[in-house]
Amino acid sequence: MNTKKTYYTSGEFAKKANVTIRTIRYYDKVGLLSPSKKNANGYRLYSDEDFIHLQQILSLKYLGFSLDEIRSLLANDSVDIQSSLQLQLTLVKSHIKHLQAMEQALTNTSSFIAEKKEINWNEILNLIHMTNMENVIAEHYKNSSQLDIRISLHDNYSTNPKGWFPWLYDMISPKPSECILELGCGNGQLWKQLSHPCQTLCLSDISEGMLEDAKENLKHLSVPISYQRFNCETIPFSNQTFHKVIANHILFYVKSISNVLSEVTRVLQPNGSFYCSTYGSSHMKEVTNLVKEFNPKIVLSDVNLYDVFGLHNGEEILKQYFSHVEKILYHDTLVINHPTPLFDYILSCHGNQRELLANDYSSFKKFLEKKIKKDGSITITKEAGIFICKNT
């Protein structure tokens, strides 16, 4: 099979893609689309794979995203036509829903004004909100993509044969007779293996986009699941509703842990259980060391989440609300032998790495490649676990 790559000059590439050379040069200048290589004379050369990147850029630009948003959205994207199409399909579906909602709101407002001969200012404000939804859609895709990247790294490179979500699922051990609530369900990954209905299973999140992702990921299940959007500091259920409440890696993100825990104890039935997971100070420490070695100014997180609610202080916090708190550790490490997943994971973190690496992605990738090549792999510490809490 012939695997030899075909390369095109800037002019050939622009003509083949039906864009101007000026556009190609500008995308190169702003770091959106760099040539695959340069020849001995310094001419920029583009490959067929570069067409995938260009097609992504043009599609996202057509959908109304700014160049900064496109750069952010594509920072983690591999040269893969399938992922390229999936990215655009996800965003197009989001825009279709958005436009349909705008159409309905415009129709309702127009009808109201025609019938009542007055302006419905609530509808007008709703329209203003809708016209600003593009940023929300972009932010959700970015957040959900980053979550998928982090889950994928652990799924593919963990040494523990039982992954985090199957392990956590076994710890929770949902029963058909139980009413269960998950706070901050994300994309619903925890419930992919559910094979039987519960009396009640409610998955909640503050993000409507995440709930849509959860519905999509769990549509294969033939069990009833309710999805509700709310802030977990105010849980919209009656006292003593649930046998089990779950908070998987979310307590360190909330504004008030005390408010959340007060609400959890309120909605738990007598002898009910609260399962909350978190990290320790050593979790993924080698990743932090790597980026600091490359650029000491990089900070992957503005806050040490384990200091807010971690394995070392979680029990003390929880015992203010529960009479019995048990800590169970999940034993695992990551052994990573390929730079791209690690590169993507680092970009998915919540710190300043995107800004500091924006014009230096290739150098940072080469740095990771060199590190992995030296020892064959990079071993990364994981320090995670759960607290199981009860009032007895």
Side-chain angles (χ1 to χ4, degrees):
M1 187 172 97
N2 183 13
T3 58
K4 185 177 179 180
K5 282 189 176 183
T6 301
Y7 289 97
Y8 310 89
T9 64
S10 297
E12 292 169 335
F13 185 73
K15 185 176 181 180
K16 190 175 177 70
N18 198 30
V19 298
T20 65
I21 294 180
R22 184 179 178 182
T23 296
I24 297 300
R25 288 174 178 168
Y26 181 70
Y27 288 161
D28 181 18
K29 180 181 178 181
V30 298
L32 266 180
L33 181 66
S34 299
S36 290
K37 69 175 187 177
K38 294 182 180 181
N39 65 15
N41 296 321
Y43 289 108
R44 294 172 174 82
L45 297 177
Y46 293 85
S47 69
D48 288 326
E49 290 176 340
D50 293 324
F51 280 108
I52 298 174
H53 285 309
L54 178 60
Q55 193 259 341
Q56 288 177 311
I57 294 166
L58 296 176
S59 295
L60 294 172
K61 190 171 181 291
Y62 175 77
L63 287 169
F65 292 97
S66 70
L67 294 185
D68 285 340
E69 288 172 332
I70 293 171
R71 184 185 293 105
S72 180
L73 286 167
L74 300 185
N76 298 103
D77 218 43
S78 302
V79 182
D80 177 356
I81 188 63
Q82 186 62 39
S83 66
S84 167
L85 295 174
Q86 191 59 50
L87 163 69
Q88 292 157 74
L89 183 60
T90 300
L91 291 169
V92 165
K93 285 180 177 179
S94 296
H95 274 267
I96 289 172
K97 288 182 180 179
H98 173 218
L99 290 172
Q100 287 173 337
M102 281 193 67
E103 179 188 25
Q104 188 62 52
L106 284 165
T107 300
N108 292 344
T109 304
S110 178
S111 298
F112 184 90
I113 293 172
E115 181 180 345
K116 302 292 184 180
K117 307 300 181 183
E118 62 183 55
I119 296 175
N120 183 339
W121 288 108
N122 286 331
E123 289 292 340
I124 298 297
L125 290 172
N126 187 39
L127 283 173
I128 292 171
H129 169 71
M130 285 186 173
T131 57
N132 288 295
M133 280 296 290
E134 281 82 2
N135 290 337
V136 175
I137 293 169
E139 191 64 24
H140 164 65
Y141 179 81
K142 189 165 59 179
N143 289 341
S144 62
S145 298
Q146 290 166 359
L147 177 61
D148 290 342
I149 286 165
R150 293 194 287 273
I151 290 173
S152 177
L153 185 79
H154 291 282
D155 283 348
N156 294 329
Y157 295 97
S158 288
T159 58
N160 189 329
K162 175 162 279 192
W164 169 258
F165 285 103
W167 179 83
L168 182 59
Y169 182 88
D170 286 350
M171 291 292 106
I172 297 165
S173 187
K175 305 292 190 300
S177 60
E178 292 175 336
C179 298
I180 299 174
L181 168 66
E182 183 179 11
L183 304 174
C185 69
N187 64 7
Q189 183 79 8
L190 176 61
W191 304 99
K192 279 191 170 182
Q193 59 196 303
L194 182 66
S195 59
H196 59 263
C198 300
Q199 183 176 332
T200 300
L201 176 58
C202 177
L203 305 189
S204 71
D205 204 285
I206 198 169
S207 165
E208 187 67 42
M210 285 296 183
L211 290 173
E212 290 297 322
D213 287 350
K215 290 177 188 177
E216 180 67 21
N217 287 339
L218 300 177
K219 65 182 181 181
H220 67 283
L221 298 179
S222 57
V223 299
I225 300 174
S226 68
Y227 300 88
Q228 293 203 29
R229 180 180 179 270
F230 59 81
N231 187 325
C232 57
E233 294 185 36
T234 307
I235 300 176
F237 289 101
S238 302
N239 296 350
Q240 301 183 3
T241 298
F242 297 99
H243 298 90
K244 294 175 178 176
V245 177
I246 301 145
N248 180 29
H249 296 334
I250 69 160
L251 286 184
F252 36 54
Y253 290 127
V254 301
K255 289 183 179 178
S256 172
I257 292 177
S258 61
N259 286 352
V260 175
L261 295 179
S262 294
E263 282 290 270
V264 169
T265 56
R266 180 183 65 79
V267 300
L268 271 178
Q269 295 188 8
N271 296 316
S273 299
F274 177 49
Y275 300 83
C276 55
S277 60
T278 187
Y279 307 116
S281 58
S282 296
H283 188 69
M284 308 293 282
K285 63 182 181 181
E286 291 82 3
V287 175
T288 298
N289 295 339
L290 275 172
V291 296
K292 289 289 186 186
E293 183 180 342
F294 183 79
N295 185 340
K297 294 181 180 178
I298 293 177
V299 177
L300 295 181
S301 177
D302 293 335
V303 178
N304 290 328
L305 298 177
Y306 52 78
D307 284 337
V308 178
F309 180 82
L311 292 175
H312 70 289
N313 62 3
E315 186 172 357
E316 179 183 353
I317 295 171
L318 293 165
K319 279 192 170 179
Q320 299 175 54
Y321 300 86
F322 297 93
S323 59
H324 178 78
V325 178
E326 179 185 9
K327 179 169 68 176
I328 303 176
L329 298 180
Y330 173 71
H331 300 286
D332 195 14
T333 56
L334 298 177
V335 179
I336 302 173
N337 57 7
H338 195 280
T340 299
L342 183 56
F343 172 82
D344 290 345
Y345 175 89
I346 289 167
L347 288 190
S348 78
C349 294
H350 303 294
N352 63 0
Q353 72 285 354
R354 285 177 178 268
E355 291 78 13
L356 293 180
L357 294 174
N359 298 316
D360 213 10
Y361 285 151
S362 60
S363 296
F364 184 55
K365 262 195 173 179
K366 288 176 182 177
F367 168 78
L368 294 177
E369 288 171 359
K370 185 177 179 181
K371 287 288 184 182
I372 290 175
K373 187 175 181 180
K374 179 182 176 183
D375 298 314
S377 64
I378 294 175
T379 299
I380 295 174
T381 303
K382 289 179 65 173
E383 187 181 12
I386 62 167
F387 294 100
I388 303 177
C389 313
K390 292 186 177 184
N391 277 323
T392 55

